[in-house]
Amino acid sequence: MSTSVTPVAPVDIIPIFVRLKLSLLRNGLKGSSTRKAAYFGALAFALVIAFFATLGLIVLRGNAHAGAVVVLLAAITALCWTFVPLFFSTGDETLDPTRLVMLPLRPRPLVRAMLAASLVGIGPLFTLCLAVGSVIAVARGAAGVVAAVLAVPLLLVGCVALARAVATANVRLLTSRKGRDLALLSGLLIAIGAQVANFAAQRLFQTGGLDKLEPAGEVVRWLPPATAVGMVDSASEGSYGIAAAQLLITVAALGLLLRFWERSLTKLMVTPDGSTIAAAKEKKKRANGEGGRGWSILPDDRTGAAAQRVLRYMVRDPKTKAAWVSALALGLIIPVVNAFQGAGSVYLACFASGMIGLQMYNQFGQDTSAFWMVAQTISSTRDAYVELRARALALALVTVPFTVVVATVTAGLLGDWAGLPGALGLALALLGSMLCTGALASAHLAYSIPTDGAFKSVAPGQGALAWAALLGGLLSSALISSPLIALAVYFSATDQKSLAWILLPLGLAWGALAAWAGLRLAAPAVVRKLPEILVAVSKG
């Protein structure tokens, strides 16, 4: 008796992955009107920025240097797609290959499905708008239009594939213990890179117009995926041979990139994870690190214990340590380097307190699942107030001395000792305002920080919530500090710098009052929303 096996038709998994991505986005918005408002607010904000950026590119149409601008913009966009998802991942499970290695899926169909899922989201939509605006700026004639139709999808798919290929090739590193420590280096690189871009922009506006971009544009137009936009410019100029070569380079680079992605995915699926191998024995801990009180300047009560816990997180937790290193680096680099160039101001020392003040936001999410233990100790408004006060105290213990040092160094480099008291007062007022808004944001806009990746900073569906907390807090802090900002501007505009010293006691009192008020307002909200906070911080 013979049995026949009916062949099973292959299933196209692309629609499945796209639906999975949409389901993740939809489910991430369920059960919280705050998350929905934050997500759609972020979407609206991105669309507004994309609209004005696209409009600016369209206005550039006809400019002699439009080609150089758009190819450089394409290159910068691709560079951002390469590195930003590594450092600021939103935890998209459809794009995490480590969650798919046990499924019976072949690498090639999996690459196509993951690529299709990657094209769903705010980032790809924003990139699509930039790509459309770029080709409109340079496309002329029938050949230019045809090239533009090809360039838009090639640039978009090239950027997304580049991001996914790099992430897949480094996923084991990023999810390992070494990868978590690598986050420190990434924070420094981001801080330094931001300043390099800032200084380059300053030099561009100081030395002349867009013609200064031409030498860089001539090189970048041959680097994929910027070659896609360069192809449109070449076709519009009648250089059909050059346009064909750039098209060939773009397609070949995309093919090689997809092949590299497939090989990396295959290796990931068949190679055991080295992080599961037992590690060597840890070094013996220092004697004073075992059971000691630690910071002797802290009070011997709940406030001191909670503050000491936060300070230990700063040193021991890789993600918290990376955030602090980045904040300290930016807070020091921006005012000091500007002062070295002679174009800065002593008031740039506010960056020191501002960057570290951002660490007050999402305090409970930074504890991850350990917040369940903290939550057991919060049963009243008084308990919540003491917990928030201890966290603010720990942050102030680092921020205030650091701000004083940065302001003093900046004033010394600029020779503006008369402006030092005013700058310190304004920086302290800003710090107090951010402690206020940070406590309120932690109570009302808590979100989870995943623990399974070095650079995943937000759980799926909570990215817009995180941006809403950050941007809303910054605007509110500026509004709270606005009286002192107006007073500082008045003293500077009326050349009454001798009176700027009054900003120091005013700023100290204003910041302390703002911080106290914020903690008082946030404490009852923490008690009232504690179950919701627990759910929010546990999503990762």
Side-chain angles (χ1 to χ4, degrees), residues 293-299 303-312 314 324 328 356-357 360 389-405 428 431 435:
R293 276 195 58 204
W295 292 58
S296 58
I297 62 174
L298 295 173
T303 299
Q308 184 169 299
R309 165 172 33 91
V310 174
L311 291 170
R312 284 180 173 172
M314 296 178 189
W324 274 87
L328 291 169
I356 304 181
M360 186 64 187
R389 184 181 63 184
R391 293 169 183 262
L393 173 63
L395 192 142
L397 283 175
V398 178
T399 310
V400 173
F402 179 72
T403 302
V404 172
V405 171
L428 293 175
L431 173 62
L435 292 178

Side-chain angles (χ1 to χ4, degrees), residues 369-377:
S369 58
F371 181 66
W372 282 88
M373 300 295 295
V374 177
Q376 302 303 313
T377 66

